[in-house]
Amino acid sequence: REEVRVALARRDMNQSELAEKIGVTRQYLSNYMAGKAGDVPRLWQRVFDELGLELVVIPKAKKQKNFASLSTS
């Protein structure tokens, strides 16, 4: 979610403009980005496509291990 916010800022775009481009209301997008609503895979893909982002999947075990090693350094 944070990377989406950063991508919006880089493009000098707000949530209303993004919502219009991907065909949803600003309120729906706002709730979606807050994790409160949504058809997660399909809508996120539209958001990523519009902003030129790619979803990368990291297994939880590796993610936790990497974060643990970062916090001890």
Side-chain angles (χ1 to χ4, degrees):
R1 292 183 178 112
E2 184 59 30
E3 191 60 36
V4 169
R5 287 176 187 30
V6 169
L8 282 170
R10 278 191 214 127
R11 288 167 179 74
D12 196 30
M13 181 186 289
N14 61 40
Q15 284 187 5
S16 294
E17 293 166 323
L18 177 59
E20 184 177 327
K21 287 182 177 281
I22 64 171
V24 298
T25 65
R26 187 213 51 85
Q27 185 62 45
Y28 184 82
L29 180 61
S30 178
N31 286 339
Y32 191 76
M33 289 181 63
K36 297 177 184 174
D39 178 4
V40 174
R42 189 170 58 208
L43 187 57
W44 271 120
Q45 189 59 56
R46 288 167 46 200
V47 168
F48 296 153
D49 288 346
E50 184 61 39
L51 297 175
L53 299 173
E54 181 177 32
L55 178 64
V56 177
V57 178
I58 300 171
K60 287 183 179 183
K62 284 187 178 183
K63 181 179 173 183
Q64 291 170 351
K65 182 177 180 182
N66 288 341
F67 284 144
S69 66
L70 290 174
S71 64
T72 60
S73 299

Short mmCIF file of all heavy atoms in Angstrom, two decimals:
data_model
loop_
_atom_site.label_atom_id
_atom_site.label_comp_id
_atom_site.label_asym_id
_atom_site.label_seq_id
_atom_site.Cartn_x
_atom_site.Cartn_y
_atom_site.Cartn_z
N ARG A 1 0.82 -1.19 0.00
CA ARG A 1 0.00 0.00 0.00
C ARG A 1 0.86 1.26 0.00
O ARG A 1 0.52 2.22 -0.66
CB ARG A 1 -0.94 -0.01 1.19
CG ARG A 1 -2.00 -1.09 1.07
CD ARG A 1 -2.98 -1.05 2.22
NE ARG A 1 -3.98 -2.06 2.02
CZ ARG A 1 -4.13 -3.14 2.76
NH1 ARG A 1 -3.35 -3.35 3.78
NH2 ARG A 1 -5.06 -4.02 2.49
N GLU A 2 1.93 1.22 0.75
CA GLU A 2 2.79 2.40 0.81
C GLU A 2 3.41 2.68 -0.56
O GLU A 2 3.53 3.82 -0.98
CB GLU A 2 3.88 2.24 1.87
CG GLU A 2 4.74 3.46 2.04
CD GLU A 2 3.96 4.72 2.43
OE1 GLU A 2 2.92 4.61 3.11
OE2 GLU A 2 4.39 5.81 2.03
N GLU A 3 3.81 1.63 -1.26
CA GLU A 3 4.41 1.83 -2.58
C GLU A 3 3.40 2.44 -3.55
O GLU A 3 3.77 3.25 -4.40
CB GLU A 3 4.94 0.50 -3.14
CG GLU A 3 5.80 0.66 -4.36
CD GLU A 3 7.04 1.51 -4.14
OE1 GLU A 3 7.65 1.45 -3.06
OE2 GLU A 3 7.40 2.25 -5.08
N VAL A 4 2.13 2.11 -3.41
CA VAL A 4 1.10 2.72 -4.24
C VAL A 4 1.02 4.21 -3.93
O VAL A 4 0.95 5.05 -4.84
CB VAL A 4 -0.27 2.04 -4.04
CG1 VAL A 4 -1.40 2.83 -4.69
CG2 VAL A 4 -0.24 0.62 -4.60
N ARG A 5 1.06 4.56 -2.67
CA ARG A 5 1.03 5.98 -2.30
C ARG A 5 2.25 6.73 -2.87
O ARG A 5 2.14 7.86 -3.36
CB ARG A 5 0.99 6.14 -0.78
CG ARG A 5 -0.35 5.79 -0.16
CD ARG A 5 -0.27 5.88 1.36
NE ARG A 5 -1.32 5.46 2.21
CZ ARG A 5 -2.24 4.54 2.07
NH1 ARG A 5 -2.30 3.85 0.97
NH2 ARG A 5 -3.13 4.26 2.98
N VAL A 6 3.41 6.09 -2.80
CA VAL A 6 4.62 6.70 -3.35
C VAL A 6 4.49 6.87 -4.86
O VAL A 6 4.84 7.92 -5.41
CB VAL A 6 5.87 5.84 -2.99
CG1 VAL A 6 7.09 6.29 -3.76
CG2 VAL A 6 6.11 5.88 -1.49
N ALA A 7 3.98 5.84 -5.54
CA ALA A 7 3.80 5.92 -7.00
C ALA A 7 2.82 7.03 -7.37
O ALA A 7 3.02 7.74 -8.35
CB ALA A 7 3.33 4.58 -7.55
N LEU A 8 1.77 7.19 -6.58
CA LEU A 8 0.82 8.28 -6.83
C LEU A 8 1.53 9.63 -6.69
O LEU A 8 1.35 10.52 -7.55
CB LEU A 8 -0.35 8.22 -5.84
CG LEU A 8 -1.44 7.19 -6.11
CD1 LEU A 8 -2.39 7.09 -4.93
CD2 LEU A 8 -2.20 7.54 -7.38
N ALA A 9 2.30 9.79 -5.66
CA ALA A 9 3.01 11.05 -5.44
C ALA A 9 4.00 11.33 -6.57
O ALA A 9 4.10 12.47 -7.05
CB ALA A 9 3.73 11.02 -4.09
N ARG A 10 4.73 10.31 -7.01
CA ARG A 10 5.68 10.47 -8.12
C ARG A 10 5.00 10.97 -9.38
O ARG A 10 5.59 11.69 -10.16
CB ARG A 10 6.39 9.15 -8.43
CG ARG A 10 7.53 8.85 -7.54
CD ARG A 10 8.33 7.66 -8.09
NE ARG A 10 8.84 6.91 -6.97
CZ ARG A 10 8.68 5.61 -6.77
NH1 ARG A 10 8.01 4.89 -7.65
NH2 ARG A 10 9.16 5.02 -5.71
N ARG A 11 3.76 10.54 -9.58
CA ARG A 11 3.01 10.93 -10.77
C ARG A 11 2.17 12.18 -10.54
O ARG A 11 1.41 12.58 -11.41
CB ARG A 11 2.12 9.78 -11.21
CG ARG A 11 2.90 8.64 -11.81
CD ARG A 11 2.05 7.39 -11.95
NE ARG A 11 2.77 6.30 -12.55
CZ ARG A 11 3.71 5.59 -11.96
NH1 ARG A 11 4.08 5.88 -10.73
NH2 ARG A 11 4.31 4.60 -12.58
N ASP A 12 2.30 12.77 -9.35
CA ASP A 12 1.50 13.93 -8.98
C ASP A 12 0.02 13.64 -9.23
O ASP A 12 -0.71 14.43 -9.82
CB ASP A 12 1.95 15.17 -9.75
CG ASP A 12 1.40 16.45 -9.13
OD1 ASP A 12 1.19 16.47 -7.90
OD2 ASP A 12 1.18 17.42 -9.87
N MET A 13 -0.41 12.44 -8.79
CA MET A 13 -1.77 11.96 -8.98
C MET A 13 -2.40 11.73 -7.61
O MET A 13 -1.72 11.33 -6.68
CB MET A 13 -1.74 10.64 -9.78
CG MET A 13 -3.09 10.04 -10.08
SD MET A 13 -2.97 8.39 -10.87
CE MET A 13 -2.37 8.82 -12.49
N ASN A 14 -3.69 12.00 -7.50
CA ASN A 14 -4.37 11.73 -6.24
C ASN A 14 -5.28 10.51 -6.38
O ASN A 14 -5.44 9.97 -7.48
CB ASN A 14 -5.12 12.96 -5.74
CG ASN A 14 -6.20 13.41 -6.71
OD1 ASN A 14 -6.90 12.60 -7.30
ND2 ASN A 14 -6.32 14.72 -6.86
N GLN A 15 -5.88 10.09 -5.27
CA GLN A 15 -6.74 8.91 -5.29
C GLN A 15 -7.94 9.10 -6.19
O GLN A 15 -8.37 8.16 -6.85
CB GLN A 15 -7.20 8.55 -3.88
CG GLN A 15 -6.13 7.89 -3.05
CD GLN A 15 -6.66 7.38 -1.72
OE1 GLN A 15 -7.85 7.43 -1.44
NE2 GLN A 15 -5.76 6.90 -0.88
N SER A 16 -8.48 10.30 -6.27
CA SER A 16 -9.64 10.55 -7.14
C SER A 16 -9.28 10.30 -8.60
O SER A 16 -10.06 9.69 -9.34
CB SER A 16 -10.15 11.98 -6.96
OG SER A 16 -10.67 12.16 -5.67
N GLU A 17 -8.12 10.79 -9.00
CA GLU A 17 -7.69 10.60 -10.39
C GLU A 17 -7.44 9.13 -10.69
O GLU A 17 -7.84 8.63 -11.75
CB GLU A 17 -6.43 11.42 -10.66
CG GLU A 17 -6.68 12.91 -10.61
CD GLU A 17 -5.41 13.74 -10.54
OE1 GLU A 17 -4.43 13.30 -9.87
OE2 GLU A 17 -5.40 14.81 -11.14
N LEU A 18 -6.79 8.43 -9.77
CA LEU A 18 -6.54 7.00 -9.96
C LEU A 18 -7.86 6.24 -10.01
O LEU A 18 -8.06 5.39 -10.88
CB LEU A 18 -5.65 6.45 -8.85
CG LEU A 18 -5.39 4.94 -8.91
CD1 LEU A 18 -4.72 4.53 -10.22
CD2 LEU A 18 -4.53 4.52 -7.71
N ALA A 19 -8.76 6.56 -9.11
CA ALA A 19 -10.06 5.88 -9.08
C ALA A 19 -10.78 6.04 -10.42
O ALA A 19 -11.33 5.08 -10.96
CB ALA A 19 -10.92 6.43 -7.95
N GLU A 20 -10.75 7.24 -10.97
CA GLU A 20 -11.40 7.48 -12.26
C GLU A 20 -10.76 6.64 -13.36
O GLU A 20 -11.45 6.04 -14.17
CB GLU A 20 -11.31 8.96 -12.61
CG GLU A 20 -12.06 9.31 -13.89
CD GLU A 20 -12.02 10.78 -14.20
OE1 GLU A 20 -12.00 11.60 -13.25
OE2 GLU A 20 -12.00 11.11 -15.39
N LYS A 21 -9.43 6.58 -13.36
CA LYS A 21 -8.71 5.82 -14.40
C LYS A 21 -8.99 4.32 -14.34
O LYS A 21 -8.96 3.65 -15.36
CB LYS A 21 -7.21 6.08 -14.31
CG LYS A 21 -6.82 7.45 -14.79
CD LYS A 21 -5.31 7.61 -14.72
CE LYS A 21 -4.89 8.95 -15.25
NZ LYS A 21 -4.85 9.01 -16.70
N ILE A 22 -9.22 3.79 -13.14
CA ILE A 22 -9.44 2.34 -13.03
C ILE A 22 -10.92 1.99 -12.88
O ILE A 22 -11.27 0.83 -12.72
CB ILE A 22 -8.61 1.71 -11.89
CG1 ILE A 22 -9.02 2.23 -10.52
CG2 ILE A 22 -7.12 1.91 -12.15
CD1 ILE A 22 -8.37 1.48 -9.37
N GLY A 23 -11.79 3.02 -12.91
CA GLY A 23 -13.22 2.76 -12.96
C GLY A 23 -13.90 2.45 -11.64
O GLY A 23 -14.85 1.67 -11.60
N VAL A 24 -13.43 3.06 -10.55
CA VAL A 24 -14.09 2.89 -9.25
C VAL A 24 -14.25 4.28 -8.63
O VAL A 24 -13.67 5.25 -9.10
CB VAL A 24 -13.28 1.97 -8.29
CG1 VAL A 24 -13.16 0.56 -8.86
CG2 VAL A 24 -11.91 2.54 -7.97
N THR A 25 -15.03 4.37 -7.55
CA THR A 25 -15.18 5.65 -6.86
C THR A 25 -13.96 5.91 -5.98
O THR A 25 -13.25 4.98 -5.58
CB THR A 25 -16.43 5.68 -5.97
OG1 THR A 25 -16.28 4.73 -4.92
CG2 THR A 25 -17.70 5.39 -6.77
N ARG A 26 -13.74 7.17 -5.65
CA ARG A 26 -12.63 7.52 -4.78
C ARG A 26 -12.81 6.87 -3.40
O ARG A 26 -11.86 6.37 -2.81
CB ARG A 26 -12.50 9.05 -4.63
CG ARG A 26 -11.24 9.42 -3.85
CD ARG A 26 -11.38 10.65 -3.00
NE ARG A 26 -12.52 10.64 -2.12
CZ ARG A 26 -12.56 10.07 -0.90
NH1 ARG A 26 -11.52 9.42 -0.43
NH2 ARG A 26 -13.64 10.14 -0.15
N GLN A 27 -14.04 6.87 -2.91
CA GLN A 27 -14.31 6.27 -1.60
C GLN A 27 -13.99 4.77 -1.60
O GLN A 27 -13.40 4.25 -0.65
CB GLN A 27 -15.76 6.51 -1.18
CG GLN A 27 -16.07 6.02 0.23
CD GLN A 27 -15.24 6.73 1.29
OE1 GLN A 27 -15.10 7.96 1.26
NE2 GLN A 27 -14.67 6.00 2.22
N TYR A 28 -14.39 4.09 -2.67
CA TYR A 28 -14.10 2.66 -2.77
C TYR A 28 -12.59 2.43 -2.78
O TYR A 28 -12.08 1.57 -2.07
CB TYR A 28 -14.73 2.07 -4.03
CG TYR A 28 -14.55 0.58 -4.14
CD1 TYR A 28 -15.38 -0.30 -3.45
CD2 TYR A 28 -13.52 0.03 -4.89
CE1 TYR A 28 -15.21 -1.67 -3.52
CE2 TYR A 28 -13.33 -1.33 -4.97
CZ TYR A 28 -14.17 -2.17 -4.28
OH TYR A 28 -13.98 -3.51 -4.35
N LEU A 29 -11.86 3.22 -3.58
CA LEU A 29 -10.41 3.07 -3.64
C LEU A 29 -9.78 3.36 -2.29
O LEU A 29 -8.88 2.64 -1.84
CB LEU A 29 -9.81 3.99 -4.71
CG LEU A 29 -8.30 3.91 -4.86
CD1 LEU A 29 -7.84 2.51 -5.27
CD2 LEU A 29 -7.81 4.95 -5.86
N SER A 30 -10.26 4.38 -1.60
CA SER A 30 -9.75 4.73 -0.28
C SER A 30 -9.95 3.57 0.69
O SER A 30 -9.02 3.17 1.41
CB SER A 30 -10.45 5.98 0.23
OG SER A 30 -10.00 6.29 1.53
N ASN A 31 -11.15 3.01 0.71
CA ASN A 31 -11.42 1.85 1.58
C ASN A 31 -10.56 0.66 1.17
O ASN A 31 -10.05 -0.07 2.02
CB ASN A 31 -12.89 1.47 1.52
CG ASN A 31 -13.77 2.43 2.27
OD1 ASN A 31 -13.31 3.17 3.15
ND2 ASN A 31 -15.03 2.47 1.91
N TYR A 32 -10.40 0.48 -0.10
CA TYR A 32 -9.62 -0.62 -0.64
C TYR A 32 -8.17 -0.51 -0.19
O TYR A 32 -7.56 -1.48 0.27
CB TYR A 32 -9.73 -0.57 -2.16
CG TYR A 32 -9.20 -1.77 -2.84
CD1 TYR A 32 -9.91 -2.97 -2.85
CD2 TYR A 32 -7.98 -1.72 -3.49
CE1 TYR A 32 -9.41 -4.08 -3.49
CE2 TYR A 32 -7.49 -2.83 -4.13
CZ TYR A 32 -8.20 -4.00 -4.13
OH TYR A 32 -7.70 -5.10 -4.76
N MET A 33 -7.61 0.68 -0.33
CA MET A 33 -6.21 0.88 0.04
C MET A 33 -6.01 0.77 1.55
O MET A 33 -4.92 0.44 2.01
CB MET A 33 -5.71 2.21 -0.48
CG MET A 33 -5.55 2.20 -2.00
SD MET A 33 -4.95 3.73 -2.70
CE MET A 33 -3.34 3.84 -1.95
N ALA A 34 -7.08 0.99 2.31
CA ALA A 34 -7.01 0.84 3.76
C ALA A 34 -7.27 -0.60 4.19
O ALA A 34 -7.22 -0.93 5.37
CB ALA A 34 -8.02 1.77 4.43
N GLY A 35 -7.55 -1.48 3.21
CA GLY A 35 -7.80 -2.88 3.52
C GLY A 35 -9.20 -3.16 4.01
O GLY A 35 -9.47 -4.21 4.59
N LYS A 36 -10.14 -2.23 3.79
CA LYS A 36 -11.49 -2.38 4.30
C LYS A 36 -12.47 -2.96 3.29
O LYS A 36 -13.58 -3.29 3.65
CB LYS A 36 -12.03 -1.02 4.76
CG LYS A 36 -11.25 -0.41 5.90
CD LYS A 36 -11.78 0.94 6.25
CE LYS A 36 -10.94 1.61 7.32
NZ LYS A 36 -11.39 2.98 7.56
N ALA A 37 -12.11 -3.01 2.02
CA ALA A 37 -13.04 -3.48 0.99
C ALA A 37 -12.26 -3.98 -0.19
O ALA A 37 -11.10 -3.63 -0.38
CB ALA A 37 -13.96 -2.33 0.56
N GLY A 38 -12.91 -4.76 -1.01
CA GLY A 38 -12.32 -5.01 -2.31
C GLY A 38 -12.21 -6.42 -2.79
O GLY A 38 -12.15 -7.36 -2.03
N ASP A 39 -12.21 -6.49 -4.10
CA ASP A 39 -11.91 -7.71 -4.84
C ASP A 39 -10.40 -7.68 -5.03
O ASP A 39 -9.89 -7.22 -6.04
CB ASP A 39 -12.66 -7.69 -6.17
CG ASP A 39 -12.37 -8.89 -7.03
OD1 ASP A 39 -11.65 -9.80 -6.56
OD2 ASP A 39 -12.85 -8.93 -8.17
N VAL A 40 -9.70 -8.12 -4.02
CA VAL A 40 -8.26 -7.87 -3.89
C VAL A 40 -7.46 -8.18 -5.15
O VAL A 40 -6.85 -7.27 -5.70
CB VAL A 40 -7.68 -8.59 -2.65
CG1 VAL A 40 -6.19 -8.46 -2.59
CG2 VAL A 40 -8.34 -8.05 -1.41
N PRO A 41 -7.44 -9.39 -5.65
CA PRO A 41 -6.53 -9.65 -6.78
C PRO A 41 -6.83 -8.80 -8.02
O PRO A 41 -5.93 -8.21 -8.59
CB PRO A 41 -6.71 -11.13 -7.07
CG PRO A 41 -7.27 -11.70 -5.82
CD PRO A 41 -8.09 -10.60 -5.19
N ARG A 42 -8.09 -8.73 -8.42
CA ARG A 42 -8.42 -8.06 -9.67
C ARG A 42 -8.22 -6.54 -9.56
O ARG A 42 -7.60 -5.93 -10.43
CB ARG A 42 -9.84 -8.39 -10.09
CG ARG A 42 -10.15 -7.90 -11.49
CD ARG A 42 -11.46 -8.41 -12.01
NE ARG A 42 -12.53 -8.02 -11.10
CZ ARG A 42 -13.65 -8.69 -10.94
NH1 ARG A 42 -13.86 -9.80 -11.60
NH2 ARG A 42 -14.57 -8.27 -10.11
N LEU A 43 -8.72 -5.91 -8.52
CA LEU A 43 -8.59 -4.46 -8.43
C LEU A 43 -7.14 -4.04 -8.18
O LEU A 43 -6.66 -3.08 -8.77
CB LEU A 43 -9.51 -3.87 -7.37
CG LEU A 43 -9.53 -2.33 -7.34
CD1 LEU A 43 -9.93 -1.75 -8.69
CD2 LEU A 43 -10.49 -1.85 -6.28
N TRP A 44 -6.44 -4.77 -7.33
CA TRP A 44 -5.04 -4.40 -7.10
C TRP A 44 -4.27 -4.49 -8.41
O TRP A 44 -3.40 -3.66 -8.68
CB TRP A 44 -4.39 -5.27 -6.03
CG TRP A 44 -4.54 -4.71 -4.65
CD1 TRP A 44 -5.16 -5.32 -3.61
CD2 TRP A 44 -4.11 -3.44 -4.15
NE1 TRP A 44 -5.13 -4.50 -2.50
CE2 TRP A 44 -4.50 -3.34 -2.81
CE3 TRP A 44 -3.44 -2.37 -4.74
CZ2 TRP A 44 -4.23 -2.22 -2.03
CZ3 TRP A 44 -3.18 -1.24 -3.95
CH2 TRP A 44 -3.57 -1.18 -2.62
N GLN A 45 -4.56 -5.48 -9.23
CA GLN A 45 -3.85 -5.60 -10.51
C GLN A 45 -4.10 -4.37 -11.38
O GLN A 45 -3.20 -3.84 -12.01
CB GLN A 45 -4.24 -6.87 -11.26
CG GLN A 45 -3.37 -7.12 -12.48
CD GLN A 45 -1.90 -7.25 -12.11
OE1 GLN A 45 -1.52 -8.07 -11.30
NE2 GLN A 45 -1.04 -6.43 -12.71
N ARG A 46 -5.33 -3.87 -11.38
CA ARG A 46 -5.64 -2.66 -12.15
C ARG A 46 -4.89 -1.45 -11.59
O ARG A 46 -4.38 -0.62 -12.34
CB ARG A 46 -7.15 -2.41 -12.16
CG ARG A 46 -7.86 -3.43 -13.04
CD ARG A 46 -9.36 -3.49 -12.90
NE ARG A 46 -10.05 -2.22 -12.90
CZ ARG A 46 -11.28 -2.08 -12.41
NH1 ARG A 46 -11.94 -3.11 -11.92
NH2 ARG A 46 -11.87 -0.90 -12.44
N VAL A 47 -4.81 -1.35 -10.26
CA VAL A 47 -4.06 -0.26 -9.63
C VAL A 47 -2.59 -0.36 -10.02
O VAL A 47 -1.97 0.62 -10.45
CB VAL A 47 -4.22 -0.31 -8.09
CG1 VAL A 47 -3.23 0.63 -7.41
CG2 VAL A 47 -5.65 0.04 -7.68
N PHE A 48 -2.01 -1.54 -9.89
CA PHE A 48 -0.60 -1.74 -10.22
C PHE A 48 -0.33 -1.41 -11.69
O PHE A 48 0.65 -0.75 -12.02
CB PHE A 48 -0.14 -3.16 -9.93
CG PHE A 48 -0.20 -3.56 -8.48
CD1 PHE A 48 -0.35 -4.88 -8.13
CD2 PHE A 48 -0.10 -2.62 -7.47
CE1 PHE A 48 -0.40 -5.26 -6.79
CE2 PHE A 48 -0.14 -2.99 -6.13
CZ PHE A 48 -0.30 -4.32 -5.79
N ASP A 49 -1.19 -1.90 -12.58
CA ASP A 49 -1.01 -1.64 -14.00
C ASP A 49 -1.02 -0.15 -14.29
O ASP A 49 -0.17 0.35 -15.03
CB ASP A 49 -2.10 -2.33 -14.83
CG ASP A 49 -1.94 -3.84 -14.88
OD1 ASP A 49 -0.88 -4.36 -14.51
OD2 ASP A 49 -2.92 -4.50 -15.30
N GLU A 50 -1.96 0.57 -13.71
CA GLU A 50 -2.07 2.01 -13.96
C GLU A 50 -0.84 2.76 -13.46
O GLU A 50 -0.41 3.74 -14.06
CB GLU A 50 -3.33 2.56 -13.29
CG GLU A 50 -3.58 4.02 -13.56
CD GLU A 50 -3.77 4.36 -15.03
OE1 GLU A 50 -4.42 3.58 -15.76
OE2 GLU A 50 -3.25 5.40 -15.46
N LEU A 51 -0.26 2.30 -12.36
CA LEU A 51 0.88 2.99 -11.75
C LEU A 51 2.23 2.41 -12.16
O LEU A 51 3.27 2.86 -11.69
CB LEU A 51 0.75 2.99 -10.23
CG LEU A 51 -0.47 3.73 -9.70
CD1 LEU A 51 -0.57 3.57 -8.19
CD2 LEU A 51 -0.42 5.21 -10.07
N GLY A 52 2.23 1.39 -13.02
CA GLY A 52 3.48 0.79 -13.46
C GLY A 52 4.19 0.01 -12.38
O GLY A 52 5.41 -0.03 -12.34
N LEU A 53 3.42 -0.61 -11.49
CA LEU A 53 3.98 -1.40 -10.40
C LEU A 53 3.77 -2.88 -10.66
O LEU A 53 2.91 -3.27 -11.44
CB LEU A 53 3.32 -1.02 -9.07
CG LEU A 53 3.48 0.44 -8.64
CD1 LEU A 53 2.64 0.71 -7.41
CD2 LEU A 53 4.94 0.77 -8.38
N GLU A 54 4.55 -3.70 -9.97
CA GLU A 54 4.45 -5.14 -10.11
C GLU A 54 4.33 -5.77 -8.72
O GLU A 54 5.05 -5.36 -7.79
CB GLU A 54 5.70 -5.68 -10.81
CG GLU A 54 5.69 -7.16 -11.03
CD GLU A 54 6.91 -7.63 -11.80
OE1 GLU A 54 7.99 -7.02 -11.66
OE2 GLU A 54 6.78 -8.60 -12.54
N LEU A 55 3.46 -6.73 -8.58
CA LEU A 55 3.29 -7.44 -7.32
C LEU A 55 4.35 -8.53 -7.23
O LEU A 55 4.53 -9.31 -8.17
CB LEU A 55 1.89 -8.06 -7.24
CG LEU A 55 1.59 -8.88 -6.00
CD1 LEU A 55 1.63 -7.99 -4.76
CD2 LEU A 55 0.23 -9.54 -6.13
N VAL A 56 5.06 -8.55 -6.12
CA VAL A 56 6.07 -9.58 -5.87
C VAL A 56 5.65 -10.34 -4.63
O VAL A 56 5.39 -9.74 -3.59
CB VAL A 56 7.47 -8.95 -5.66
CG1 VAL A 56 8.49 -10.01 -5.35
CG2 VAL A 56 7.86 -8.14 -6.88
N VAL A 57 5.59 -11.65 -4.75
CA VAL A 57 5.16 -12.48 -3.64
C VAL A 57 6.39 -13.01 -2.92
O VAL A 57 7.31 -13.56 -3.54
CB VAL A 57 4.29 -13.66 -4.14
CG1 VAL A 57 3.88 -14.55 -2.99
CG2 VAL A 57 3.06 -13.11 -4.87
N ILE A 58 6.41 -12.83 -1.59
CA ILE A 58 7.51 -13.31 -0.77
C ILE A 58 6.93 -14.28 0.26
O ILE A 58 6.01 -13.91 0.99
CB ILE A 58 8.21 -12.13 -0.04
CG1 ILE A 58 8.75 -11.14 -1.06
CG2 ILE A 58 9.31 -12.65 0.88
CD1 ILE A 58 9.25 -9.87 -0.44
N PRO A 59 7.44 -15.49 0.33
CA PRO A 59 6.93 -16.43 1.32
C PRO A 59 7.05 -15.85 2.73
O PRO A 59 8.05 -15.19 3.05
CB PRO A 59 7.83 -17.66 1.16
CG PRO A 59 8.38 -17.54 -0.22
CD PRO A 59 8.49 -16.07 -0.49
N LYS A 60 6.06 -16.08 3.55
CA LYS A 60 6.06 -15.52 4.90
C LYS A 60 7.28 -15.92 5.71
O LYS A 60 7.84 -15.10 6.41
CB LYS A 60 4.79 -15.92 5.65
CG LYS A 60 3.58 -15.20 5.17
CD LYS A 60 2.38 -15.59 5.99
CE LYS A 60 1.15 -14.84 5.54
NZ LYS A 60 -0.01 -15.15 6.36
N ALA A 61 7.69 -17.16 5.63
CA ALA A 61 8.83 -17.61 6.43
C ALA A 61 10.08 -16.81 6.09
O ALA A 61 10.80 -16.35 6.97
CB ALA A 61 9.08 -19.09 6.21
N LYS A 62 10.35 -16.60 4.81
CA LYS A 62 11.52 -15.83 4.41
C LYS A 62 11.36 -14.37 4.80
O LYS A 62 12.29 -13.74 5.26
CB LYS A 62 11.74 -15.93 2.90
CG LYS A 62 12.32 -17.23 2.46
CD LYS A 62 12.65 -17.19 0.99
CE LYS A 62 13.29 -18.49 0.57
NZ LYS A 62 13.69 -18.47 -0.83
N LYS A 63 10.18 -13.83 4.62
CA LYS A 63 9.93 -12.44 4.97
C LYS A 63 10.20 -12.21 6.45
O LYS A 63 10.89 -11.28 6.82
CB LYS A 63 8.49 -12.08 4.62
CG LYS A 63 8.12 -10.65 4.90
CD LYS A 63 6.68 -10.41 4.48
CE LYS A 63 6.19 -9.06 4.89
NZ LYS A 63 4.80 -8.84 4.56
N GLN A 64 9.66 -13.09 7.30
CA GLN A 64 9.86 -12.95 8.74
C GLN A 64 11.34 -13.09 9.09
O GLN A 64 11.86 -12.33 9.90
CB GLN A 64 9.02 -13.97 9.49
CG GLN A 64 7.54 -13.68 9.40
CD GLN A 64 6.68 -14.80 9.92
OE1 GLN A 64 7.18 -15.90 10.20
NE2 GLN A 64 5.41 -14.56 10.03
N LYS A 65 12.01 -14.03 8.46
CA LYS A 65 13.42 -14.25 8.74
C LYS A 65 14.24 -13.02 8.33
O LYS A 65 15.09 -12.55 9.07
CB LYS A 65 13.93 -15.47 7.98
CG LYS A 65 15.37 -15.81 8.26
CD LYS A 65 15.77 -17.07 7.53
CE LYS A 65 17.23 -17.40 7.80
NZ LYS A 65 17.66 -18.59 7.08
N ASN A 66 13.94 -12.47 7.15
CA ASN A 66 14.66 -11.28 6.68
C ASN A 66 14.41 -10.10 7.60
O ASN A 66 15.32 -9.36 7.91
CB ASN A 66 14.27 -10.93 5.24
CG ASN A 66 14.83 -11.93 4.25
OD1 ASN A 66 15.77 -12.65 4.53
ND2 ASN A 66 14.25 -11.97 3.07
N PHE A 67 13.18 -9.90 8.03
CA PHE A 67 12.89 -8.79 8.94
C PHE A 67 13.58 -9.01 10.29
O PHE A 67 14.08 -8.06 10.87
CB PHE A 67 11.39 -8.62 9.14
CG PHE A 67 10.70 -7.99 7.99
CD1 PHE A 67 9.43 -8.38 7.63
CD2 PHE A 67 11.29 -6.98 7.24
CE1 PHE A 67 8.77 -7.79 6.56
CE2 PHE A 67 10.68 -6.38 6.18
CZ PHE A 67 9.39 -6.80 5.83
N ALA A 68 13.62 -10.24 10.74
CA ALA A 68 14.28 -10.52 12.01
C ALA A 68 15.77 -10.19 11.91
O ALA A 68 16.35 -9.61 12.82
CB ALA A 68 14.07 -11.98 12.40
N SER A 69 16.38 -10.56 10.79
CA SER A 69 17.81 -10.28 10.64
C SER A 69 18.08 -8.79 10.51
O SER A 69 19.10 -8.29 10.95
CB SER A 69 18.41 -11.04 9.44
OG SER A 69 17.86 -10.55 8.23
N LEU A 70 17.15 -8.04 9.92
CA LEU A 70 17.31 -6.59 9.82
C LEU A 70 17.22 -5.92 11.17
O LEU A 70 17.94 -4.98 11.45
CB LEU A 70 16.26 -6.00 8.88
CG LEU A 70 16.40 -6.32 7.40
CD1 LEU A 70 15.21 -5.78 6.62
CD2 LEU A 70 17.69 -5.73 6.84
N SER A 71 16.34 -6.41 12.03
CA SER A 71 16.14 -5.77 13.31
C SER A 71 17.29 -6.03 14.28
O SER A 71 17.49 -5.29 15.22
CB SER A 71 14.81 -6.21 13.94
OG SER A 71 14.85 -7.58 14.22
N THR A 72 18.07 -7.07 14.06
CA THR A 72 19.18 -7.39 14.95
C THR A 72 20.48 -6.77 14.50
O THR A 72 21.46 -6.79 15.19
CB THR A 72 19.37 -8.91 15.09
OG1 THR A 72 19.64 -9.47 13.79
CG2 THR A 72 18.15 -9.56 15.71
N SER A 73 20.47 -6.21 13.29
CA SER A 73 21.72 -5.61 12.74
C SER A 73 21.94 -4.23 13.28
O SER A 73 21.10 -3.48 13.58
CB SER A 73 21.65 -5.55 11.22
OG SER A 73 21.52 -6.84 10.69
#
